[in-house]
Amino acid sequence: NAGVTQTPKFQVLKTGQSMTLQCAQDMNHNSMYWYRQDPGMGLRLIYYSASEGTTDKGEVPNGYNVSRLNKREFSLRLESAAPSQTSVYFCASIFNYEQYFGPGTRLTVT
Amino acid sequence: QKEVEQDPGPLSVPEGAIVSLNCTYSNSAFQYFMWYRQYSRKGPELLMYTYSSGNKEDGRFTAQVDKSSKYISLFIRDSQPSDSATYLCAMSPLSGNNRKLIWGLGTSLAVNP
């Protein structure tokens, strides 16, 4: 029972490159979220998926897209990376109000 | 003004001390109150969860909610070096909000042996 897994753990991109962050959960939860965490800004919600087949914008969606591939997987895509997207990205799986986080992806955009 | 305010610290205490971590909030609709612990370079993990007012105890940890003052606290008794982490408070109203949490910025705690 791995909980929430995220890949990759680390990534360095050049401005303008694209990449997809992968997240998977094995807890059979309906809801999944993507956050970014920055010093002094805390956790900010990028996108969320309340159930398979649905996605909605969070607090800071600009520059990102998401796909809820199936109940287990929720991916986050950066189409054209910018230095302002340098951050630590966390995926979370939600049961009622309890959120279970993955280990995070540290992304640097140069 | 942010909906949830949390002093970022850092807070440094000797091993064995009682630690008090606090958050204040402005939205009287909040009913669910949570504390998460985040070790360096790890994801947050749920520590304690309280619904509405009152106290909840789990081992060395006690969570307290004072809705009249819009104030929540986490107490750590007999603190250990392994308690060194950032502690985040989070809260949500009973309905609406799609169960999204409103987060504090976190308080960094160091327990010194």
Side-chain angles (χ1 to χ4, degrees):
Chain A
N1 190 351
V4 180
T5 57
Q6 290 183 238
T7 55
K9 286 188 168 47
F10 303 93
Q11 185 72 50
V12 179
L13 290 178
K14 294 189 189 313
T15 297
Q17 287 185 320
S18 63
M19 78 163 295
T20 300
L21 284 66
Q22 306 285 357
C23 174
Q25 53 95 5
D26 61 5
M27 295 178 282
N28 202 36
H29 293 162
N30 287 320
S31 296
M32 297 180 74
Y33 290 5
W34 274 106
Y35 288 99
R36 60 179 290 174
Q37 188 176 40
D38 303 286
M41 303 293 288
L43 283 164
R44 291 183 292 170
L45 184 64
I46 304 171
Y47 268 94
Y48 65 100
S49 171
S51 61
E52 185 180 352
T54 68
T55 61
D56 283 289
K57 294 179 181 179
E59 187 185 348
V60 288
N62 290 347
Y64 305 95
N65 284 303
V66 290
S67 295
R68 183 72 183 269
L69 304 169
N70 47 56
K71 193 171 186 179
R72 289 188 64 247
E73 297 171 291
F74 188 36
S75 62
L76 178 72
R77 182 159 178 84
L78 287 71
E79 290 291 352
S80 178
S84 60
Q85 294 178 306
T86 293
S87 187
V88 182
Y89 291 86
F90 289 104
C91 174
S93 182
I94 288 76
F95 176 71
N96 287 333
Y97 291 85
E98 299 171 30
Q99 301 196 7
Y100 299 89
F101 286 80
T105 294
R106 293 186 169 271
L107 175 67
T108 301
V109 183
T110 60
Chain B
Q1 185 191 1
K2 290 182 182 295
E3 277 191 285
V4 177
E5 300 276 3
Q6 186 176 11
D7 186 338
L11 189 58
S12 182
V13 302
E15 183 175 354
I18 296 174
V19 176
S20 173
L21 303 165
N22 311 296
C23 288
T24 59
Y25 63 94
S26 56
N27 188 344
S28 57
F30 288 152
Q31 296 278 4
Y32 289 93
F33 304 93
M34 298 177 170
W35 287 95
Y36 282 77
R37 178 175 61 195
Q38 185 175 20
Y39 290 116
S40 181
R41 296 184 170 264
K42 302 287 187 186
E45 57 177 335
L46 180 62
L47 196 58
M48 297 195 70
Y49 175 127
T50 311
Y51 170 66
S52 193
S53 283
N55 293 1
K56 187 172 185 179
E57 191 172 318
D58 184 2
R60 295 184 296 110
F61 297 87
T62 300
Q64 231 173 47
V65 175
D66 181 349
K67 293 189 73 182
S68 62
S69 301
K70 297 192 180 69
Y71 190 87
I72 69 170
S73 301
L74 177 70
F75 297 97
I76 307 174
R77 290 184 300 281
D78 187 25
S79 56
Q80 302 295 309
S82 58
D83 296 327
S84 298
T86 296
Y87 290 81
L88 301 112
C89 64
M91 46 198 84
S92 182
L94 180 61
S95 62
N97 213 43
N98 212 353
R99 299 185 178 180
K100 295 193 290 291
L101 296 179
I102 310 303
W103 294 87
L105 293 184
T107 300
S108 176
L109 171 66
V111 181
N112 306 305

